Amino acid sequence: MDLNFNKNEDHNKLLWSAVDKKLAQIKLGGGKKQLQKLRDQGKMTARERIANLVDPKSKMIEIGAFAAHDMYEEYGGAPAAGVVVVLGYIHKRLCVIVANDASVKAGAWFPMAGKKNLRAQEIALENHLPIIYLVDSAGVFLPMQDEIFPDKEHFGRIFRNNAKMSSKGIIQIAAVMGSCVAGGAYLPIMSDESLIVDKTGSIFLAGSYLVKAAIGEDIDNETLGGATTHTEISGVTDYKVPNDAAALDKIRSLIDKLGTPETAGFNRVKPVSPLKENDQLFGLLPKERNIPYDTYPLIEQLVDQGEFDEYKAGYGKTIITAYARIDGWAVGIVANQRKVVKSKKGEMQLGGVIYGDAADKATRFIANCNQKKIPLVFLQDVTGFMVGSQAEHGGIIKDGAKMVNAMANSVVPKFTVIMGNSYGAGNYAMCGKAFDPRLIVAWPSAEMAVMGGAQAAKVLMQIEASSLKKKGVKISEEEQKALFEKIKNSYDKQTKAEYAAARLWTDAIINPTETRKWICMGIEAANHAPITERFNMGVLQV
């Protein structure tokens, strides 16, 4: 290994180590004292419930662990948005599991908690996966009710999704393992089957204090909406269980009896490891985001045996298109080539930039993958589309539009890995969050924005300087430099992987060595949903 490889490896491993430390803190939820308080009440914590629900030693991926990170600080924060979401196996059946974390503000719903729950339901809907709700929540976080209650993608959308999933035959099982109040009470009852834990679980539209205030009735919470009430009097729930462990066992038993799901028929053979240990990924990605590098070795680290069949290898070289296998699954890879390459006309093309010929190639490849029913994997490290008179006269907008059109109308599942830069329209063309990837993850080195921090800071500084000049205010070179640094630092913070993950622009920040696992489980999930549409790009300017 050369010196640059070692420097890159050290830098990228440090980036992951910093992320991993934050994840460890996030997993403590509301803190050790709050977690112990739940145990003292005879409950398991949210993560303990999940660990006892899934198959022992099975693979699992967590969605949105960084949700709400460094947000809601005025309220003490909301680690993981107060809810844990995973894709895991129950009796070898892949399921979505949603568990309220009652150690975080009694499991109250912050705006990001609502968004995260909707994302979990979206994954279940798109992939026809059973979804399990482990309910333990005090309801909407009232100080922020205006940001979670009334809009289309707010709290009520969850119940709409309950109904839609039920109509599509997507299994929903809810276990009420703590509080379940007000509007939130509809979620378990709109599920196919519901359980309630005796003495700790309760369901009611209004608790005893509110009932007293509203209609003057004196009643305790257990009589009002406890397990006995709802399994023997109201009939609201289907099973009464004595404790958390029994509830989880009951869910496992119910899942064990589900019928065999239909499949989409994606091609899979026996998985084979890459030729080399994929921890070399850390050394292949440069420390500086503007340094060119060869993307081919990265692809070799991700695909089975390092083998792939490249499509149009000599054309449109700033995008690599190739057929390969990841953990046995057939995939079509669309990756940004980050080194400087020579075009068919002998011109030098910048790495990470999408040129017209590359967009044309990607469009044709995406269409081919749809024709062959092969899932698509996008590996992003893109600064955008080429600009300038030559590109504009060559129709770069038209070529880019064709690529975006093909990608957006793709009917095979798409998966996106943001390895480095994800700037401007390049984010869109390479299947950013707006274009419905089944899963979208970022490496710790990822950066997402309209443009890079330095470029954006220059533009914003020029606007600010011009504004001040019009007002007759002169600023020195030192003041301009200070203004530039201030703007750049603020902008850079917004481009980081953690900022994006906190807002669920990505599903997770992952260790690059886990990329294969995420893609494999993602395709396995997608294989539960047969493709019912045909690929059609509509009207195009050709």
Side-chain angles (χ1 to χ4, degrees):
M1 299 298 175
D2 62 23
L3 183 59
N4 280 334
F5 182 97
N6 292 334
K7 287 181 178 179
N8 294 337
E9 184 178 42
D10 289 345
H11 172 75
N12 289 313
K13 283 188 173 180
L14 284 171
L15 283 181
W16 170 247
S17 178
V19 168
D20 202 29
K21 285 179 182 177
K22 289 173 183 175
L23 280 171
Q25 187 63 38
I26 287 168
K27 289 177 181 179
L28 292 175
K32 292 181 179 179
K33 287 184 178 179
Q34 290 298 320
L35 294 174
Q36 188 57 48
K37 184 178 177 181
L38 295 176
R39 297 185 187 106
D40 293 342
Q41 294 170 359
K43 297 180 178 182
M44 297 179 186
T45 68
R47 293 181 184 277
E48 288 168 350
R49 288 167 174 167
I50 291 171
N52 280 273
L53 180 59
V54 298
D55 297 340
K57 298 181 180 179
S58 60
K59 291 190 298 182
M60 185 170 65
I61 55 178
E62 182 172 351
I63 305 296
F66 265 92
H69 180 63
D70 281 345
M71 297 171 68
Y72 314 133
E73 294 303 307
E74 65 272 36
Y75 301 112
V83 61
V84 185
V85 175
V86 304
L87 265 67
Y89 296 91
I90 303 173
H91 283 293
K92 298 183 180 180
R93 183 72 170 258
L94 192 56
C95 300
V96 180
I97 304 169
V98 181
N100 296 116
D101 186 350
S103 75
V104 179
K105 297 290 189 295
W109 291 70
F110 284 80
M112 285 305 302
K115 187 173 183 179
K116 187 170 176 179
N117 275 266
L118 289 173
R119 176 60 179 142
Q121 290 184 320
E122 180 181 40
I123 291 170
L125 268 165
E126 286 181 329
N127 300 293
H128 292 195
L129 295 179
I131 182 166
I132 316 299
Y133 307 102
L134 305 180
V135 183
D136 193 348
S137 171
V140 166
F141 186 64
L142 292 178
M144 304 189 75
Q145 65 84 28
D146 62 320
E147 295 183 42
I148 188 172
F149 173 66
D151 207 352
K152 180 179 179 180
E153 298 295 332
H154 282 178
F155 194 63
R157 190 76 171 182
I158 293 167
F159 313 131
R160 175 264 189 193
N161 288 349
N162 287 141
K164 288 290 186 181
M165 281 190 279
S166 184
S167 73
K168 294 177 184 296
I170 297 169
I171 304 301
Q172 300 174 84
I173 299 173
V176 179
M177 309 176 85
S179 297
C180 183
V181 301
Y186 290 104
L187 185 146
I189 314 312
M190 294 189 73
S191 299
D192 299 306
E193 291 184 280
S194 59
L195 305 78
I196 185 167
V197 178
D198 196 20
K199 300 298 186 281
T200 56
S202 59
I203 308 171
F204 34 67
L205 294 180
S208 56
Y209 292 124
L210 187 54
V211 167
K212 174 67 174 176
I215 64 173
E217 180 182 4
D218 284 309
I219 190 168
D220 62 89
N221 282 339
E222 185 65 25
T223 306
L224 180 66
T228 299
T229 294
H230 284 312
T231 54
E232 299 179 17
I233 300 173
S234 72
V236 163
T237 55
D238 305 308
Y239 307 94
K240 179 171 75 170
V241 291
N243 51 46
D244 281 10
L248 301 171
D249 286 343
K250 178 63 74 175
I251 294 169
R252 286 185 56 82
S253 180
L254 294 171
I255 293 293
D256 187 37
K257 297 172 181 64
L258 295 183
T260 303
E262 297 180 69
T263 68
F266 301 131
N267 184 290
R268 193 183 195 190
V269 299
K270 185 178 179 180
V272 182
S273 299
L275 285 179
K276 300 176 183 177
E277 294 296 325
N278 68 0
D279 64 357
Q280 288 191 18
L281 290 168
F282 287 107
L284 293 171
L285 198 70
K287 176 180 176 181
E288 288 82 15
R289 297 297 334 117
N290 60 347
I291 299 294
Y293 67 92
D294 191 354
T295 305
Y296 285 101
L298 276 172
I299 296 173
E300 290 171 359
Q301 294 289 299
L302 294 174
V303 302
D304 292 8
Q305 289 192 311
E307 295 178 349
F308 53 88
D309 301 308
E310 188 171 3
Y311 173 79
K312 288 186 178 290
Y315 179 73
K317 294 180 181 179
T318 63
I319 285 181
I320 300 167
T321 49
Y323 301 106
R325 290 190 183 274
I326 294 179
D327 208 45
W329 292 104
V331 297
I333 294 173
V334 181
N336 300 112
Q337 170 60 297
R338 278 301 311 272
K339 77 173 185 180
V340 177
V341 297
K342 187 178 289 188
S343 75
K344 62 184 183 294
K345 297 179 181 178
E347 301 158 340
M348 301 310 293
Q349 295 183 335
L350 299 173
V353 177
I354 302 175
Y355 288 77
D357 54 355
D360 175 65
K361 176 173 77 171
T363 301
R364 294 169 64 90
F365 181 73
I366 291 167
N368 282 345
C369 286
N370 276 271
Q371 183 85 342
K372 297 175 178 180
K373 202 158 71 171
I374 298 175
L376 285 159
V377 176
F378 292 83
L379 302 178
Q380 282 199 18
D381 194 346
V382 59
T383 53
F385 283 86
M386 189 57 190
V387 297
S389 61
Q390 186 174 347
E392 297 292 0
H393 296 171
I396 187 66
I397 296 174
K398 182 172 61 178
D399 293 328
K402 286 190 290 186
M403 181 179 173
V404 172
N405 190 312
M407 182 272 305
N409 282 302
S410 176
V411 297
V412 296
K414 306 184 291 283
F415 302 90
T416 302
V417 180
I418 303 174
M419 305 183 301
N421 300 330
S422 180
Y423 293 154
N427 169 281
Y428 297 164
M430 293 294 293
C431 197
K433 184 64 182 288
F435 292 88
D436 301 319
R438 296 293 177 95
L439 292 172
I440 177 169
V441 296
W443 290 359
S445 47
E447 295 183 1
M448 278 161 277
V450 172
M451 62 182 74
Q455 297 95 320
K458 286 178 182 177
V459 173
L460 292 170
M461 187 196 71
Q462 289 168 0
I463 293 170
E464 180 67 15
S466 177
S467 176
L468 290 170
K469 186 177 180 180
K470 287 179 180 178
K471 295 175 182 176
V473 179
K474 293 183 179 180
I475 56 174
S476 66
E477 189 174 326
E478 291 77 14
E479 288 172 327
Q480 284 190 24
K481 186 177 179 181
L483 180 60
F484 172 82
E485 289 299 324
K486 180 182 177 182
I487 294 171
K488 183 178 181 298
N489 290 339
S490 174
Y491 195 90
D492 281 346
K493 181 182 177 182
Q494 296 176 22
T495 70
K496 298 302 180 188
E498 291 173 15
Y499 190 91
R503 288 150 183 81
L504 285 177
W505 300 343
T506 61
D507 291 317
I509 306 171
I510 67 168
N511 185 325
T513 63
E514 297 227 304
T515 304
R516 280 170 55 89
K517 181 176 84 169
W518 276 78
I519 293 171
C520 169
M521 289 186 69
I523 298 175
E524 182 182 347
N527 199 40
H528 287 73
I531 295 173
T532 58
E533 300 177 85
R534 286 189 62 82
F535 176 66
N536 187 335
M537 289 177 62
V539 177
L540 284 175
Q541 297 289 332
V542 294

